[in-house]
Amino acid sequence: MAPKKSTRTSGATSQRTWLHLRQQWGMMGMFEITPEHEFYHLTSMMKDGIHASIQATMDTPVQDTLSPEHFKAEETEAHEGFVMQTFAAPVFAKLRRSLDIKEEEYMNCLCSDGCYLQFVSNSKSKANFFVTNNKRFFLKTQSRREVRFLLSNLHAYMDHLEKYPHSLLVRFLGVHRIISNQIKKYFIVMQSVFYPDERINIRYDIKGCEVGRWTDPDTGEKHRIKVLKDNNFRGQCISLGQDKSWFASQVKLDAAFLRELNVLDYSLLLAHQPLHKEEIERKHTLANLVIRTTKSLDLGDHPTKTDPSSIPLLEETPGDVVPGNADLESDLPQAAFQGTDEGILLQETRTDLELQEFHKQHRRLLSDFKNAVHVIDGPDRRYFVGIIDIFTMYGWKKRLESLSKSLRYPGRSFSTVSPTKYSHRFCQWIQDHTQ
């Protein structure tokens, strides 16, 4: 009888845990998309279509060098009751590899038996937001114009990420379209900036302006994640310590790229959580720094010939020291730059300008997470950061809107301004609020 009692107890405990988890999701504005949910049919088609698309990628030889045809690729697969279009599949497959996301892992997250979660927030966007059951990947419906804009600038986007592998731009991992009798939807898959989110309880969306940039955290709206804004952040700062200069520099590089694309209205997603004591201690141990540094600088047997873009981020992700911090660099033993007991060969050819640039962009301490590029550890807090919403072009409609707002809000800062002004103001906000 004892074993049966144990089994019943275990089952009851599991049921309570699952109920508690669902209650937590509800409080955070996430709801399971069960068969009764309005988006169940759509998300079921997404899963089936993505599964077939990933399987096709797995059956295709790896493309180390991308051609113009890869960026223009469109694949159409017929399924029962719908058609799935996949765009630039080889390009996004290469991007996933650079993040050390295995195709099987990607498939398991997006196509598991677990229900997607609907994400409900106070965003003004008319898009639908979905999250995988483990909350690692984000799916968002997009307009045709937004998708065409992304695809037309995909080559430039990939070039930027290869040049600056620690860019704060959100990582787009796939672009698809569902077509059925009732539904015609474009959607994108991207990394969730806020992963893992177990201890995140406050989120911000920062644009660097003031008009319309306040969210009342106590409006009484239930089942919505409150994403606060610029004015809610007053009196606070992003405390990064040694990573401050790197962070401000990378924001400038990313904003300059977006300015070249003639876009505005992008945001910095920001969240934070306190570091545990053991995380702080582990972060500052010299031995750990040495190991993290050697992994970051591992360029193989022929470093001067290594293509920086071919090295997956997570082979480097344990990180490196911050650029320009001579004191910290001098504290590291020479072994950190010459090799380890595991036989890692680390050579630095300072006459090679490309290699110098590669090293410069990798001198950053990264956390041991699957989305480490979006995680920065300060002295006592862990920050989750990512630049999102990069699809708004400064066309004639935005120019008219800018003129209208300048008359309506004289002397005040609002979001609809030229890309040059937006970029400068965005970077200045980061500079002013980081220490």
Side-chain angles (χ1 to χ4, degrees):
M1 295 299 293
K4 292 183 179 180
K5 182 177 180 181
S6 175
T7 301
R8 288 197 301 270
T9 302
S10 176
T13 301
S14 177
Q15 187 175 14
R16 286 196 300 270
T17 302
W18 181 242
L19 178 61
H20 178 65
L21 180 60
R22 295 181 69 175
Q23 288 173 338
Q24 282 186 317
W25 284 344
M27 292 171 62
M28 294 178 62
M30 293 184 185
F31 300 91
E32 276 190 299
I33 302 179
T34 58
E36 296 76 26
H37 196 286
E38 62 175 316
F39 290 123
Y40 181 76
H41 184 51
L42 172 60
T43 55
S44 295
M45 290 189 292
M46 286 178 169
K47 281 187 177 184
D48 291 343
I50 290 174
H51 188 281
S53 175
I54 299 173
Q55 189 62 59
T57 301
M58 293 168 63
D59 295 338
T60 303
V62 174
Q63 301 293 333
D64 291 325
T65 303
L66 298 175
S67 68
E69 288 70 29
H70 291 137
F71 287 87
K72 298 176 183 177
E74 293 187 17
E75 300 169 6
T76 302
E77 291 186 331
H79 299 266
E80 185 177 351
F82 73 97
V83 170
M84 173 83 154
Q85 289 181 310
T86 299
F87 302 91
V91 180
F92 291 108
K94 182 176 181 180
L95 178 53
R96 294 194 293 271
R97 287 198 304 276
S98 77
L99 297 167
D100 198 33
I101 299 174
K102 305 295 188 296
E103 294 300 280
E104 295 87 350
E105 179 184 17
Y106 188 60
M107 180 187 289
N108 289 338
C109 287
L110 287 164
C111 309
S112 70
D113 293 335
C115 299
Y116 282 172
L117 307 176
Q118 181 190 11
F119 177 89
V120 181
S121 76
N122 58 323
S123 170
K124 295 180 180 179
S125 172
K126 295 181 180 179
N128 303 125
F129 301 86
F130 309 115
V131 189
T132 54
N133 198 264
N134 63 357
K135 294 183 279 185
R136 182 178 173 188
F137 298 113
F138 215 85
L139 301 92
K140 180 184 178 183
T141 60
Q142 302 280 174
S143 68
R144 182 179 184 275
R145 180 197 62 78
E146 291 169 332
V147 166
R148 291 303 172 190
F149 175 81
L150 173 59
L151 294 176
S152 65
N153 292 286
L154 185 56
H155 204 303
Y157 172 78
M158 290 292 291
D159 286 347
H160 182 77
L161 296 187
E162 289 184 0
K163 187 174 183 180
Y164 306 108
H166 296 172
S167 165
L168 300 174
L169 295 179
V170 68
R171 298 308 195 268
F172 300 111
L173 305 176
V175 177
H176 309 274
R177 188 187 187 196
I178 293 286
I179 304 174
S180 71
N181 291 334
Q182 298 82 23
I183 298 172
K184 291 183 179 180
K185 291 277 188 181
Y186 288 96
F187 68 94
I188 58 175
V189 183
M190 66 189 97
Q191 272 190 320
S192 173
V193 174
F194 300 144
Y195 175 82
D197 72 339
E198 285 77 9
R199 292 190 291 127
I200 295 176
N201 57 16
I202 188 166
R203 297 163 171 81
Y204 293 92
D205 178 292
I206 302 296
K207 293 183 182 293
C209 57
E210 59 171 325
V211 174
R213 304 304 297 164
W214 165 264
T215 294
D216 186 347
D218 300 315
T219 56
E221 290 182 277
K222 294 182 179 180
H223 306 310
R224 288 181 183 269
I225 293 178
K226 290 293 182 179
V227 181
L228 306 181
K229 300 179 181 178
D230 304 57
N231 294 331
N232 297 96
F233 200 78
R234 285 178 178 170
Q236 302 181 61
C237 67
I238 306 170
S239 181
L240 296 180
Q242 295 167 345
D243 266 337
K244 174 188 174 180
S245 60
W246 173 87
F247 179 62
S249 174
Q250 188 58 58
V251 169
K252 288 181 180 179
L253 292 167
D254 291 333
F257 168 70
L258 297 176
R259 183 177 66 242
E260 291 174 1
L261 295 185
N262 198 38
V263 302
L264 67 155
D265 222 23
Y266 43 89
S267 302
L268 178 78
L269 273 189
L270 172 68
H272 58 75
Q273 61 184 214
L275 287 173
H276 289 309
K277 181 180 178 182
E278 60 270 21
E279 291 172 328
I280 296 174
E281 292 174 347
R282 185 171 67 249
K283 180 174 181 287
H284 292 295
T285 59
L286 181 60
N288 190 50
L289 265 178
V290 173
I291 293 172
R292 291 154 70 94
T293 300
T294 55
K295 287 185 179 180
S296 180
L297 295 179
D298 180 14
L299 302 179
D301 292 335
H302 301 91
T304 59
K305 297 181 181 180
T306 300
D307 175 10
S309 66
S310 69
I311 301 178
L313 267 179
L314 289 186
E315 289 184 6
E316 314 137 10
T317 53
D320 188 14
V321 293
V322 180
N325 194 324
D327 292 337
L328 183 54
E329 291 183 10
S330 65
D331 287 341
L332 293 174
Q334 198 64 22
F337 297 95
Q338 294 181 345
T340 68
D341 293 338
E342 297 175 355
I344 298 176
L345 180 61
L346 302 172
Q347 298 181 15
E348 189 169 6
T349 308
R350 297 189 181 277
T351 57
D352 189 319
L353 295 179
E354 183 179 51
L355 188 59
Q356 287 185 37
E357 180 69 12
F358 176 61
H359 282 172
K360 179 181 177 182
Q361 291 306 320
H362 286 68
R363 292 184 179 276
R364 170 192 168 193
L365 278 174
L366 288 177
S367 302
D368 298 322
F369 288 120
K370 283 294 186 180
N371 69 331
V373 72
H374 294 305
V375 179
I376 308 177
D377 281 356
D380 55 11
R381 284 186 177 185
R382 173 164 295 145
Y383 292 89
F384 296 77
V385 293
I387 296 176
I388 63 166
D389 295 340
I390 64 172
F391 302 117
T392 304
M393 291 192 65
Y394 192 57
W396 66 269
K397 287 185 178 180
K398 286 297 177 182
R399 292 175 186 272
L400 290 177
E401 184 180 336
S402 179
L403 177 60
S404 173
K405 287 186 176 180
S406 66
L407 298 174
R408 188 177 176 185
Y409 305 109
R412 299 182 65 189
S413 61
F414 45 85
S415 62
T416 312
V417 294
S418 72
T420 298
K421 184 174 182 179
Y422 194 97
S423 171
H424 174 75
R425 191 177 61 193
F426 185 77
C427 295
Q428 190 62 52
W429 191 98
I430 300 297
Q431 185 68 42
D432 294 341
H433 292 80
T434 307
Q435 67 178 26

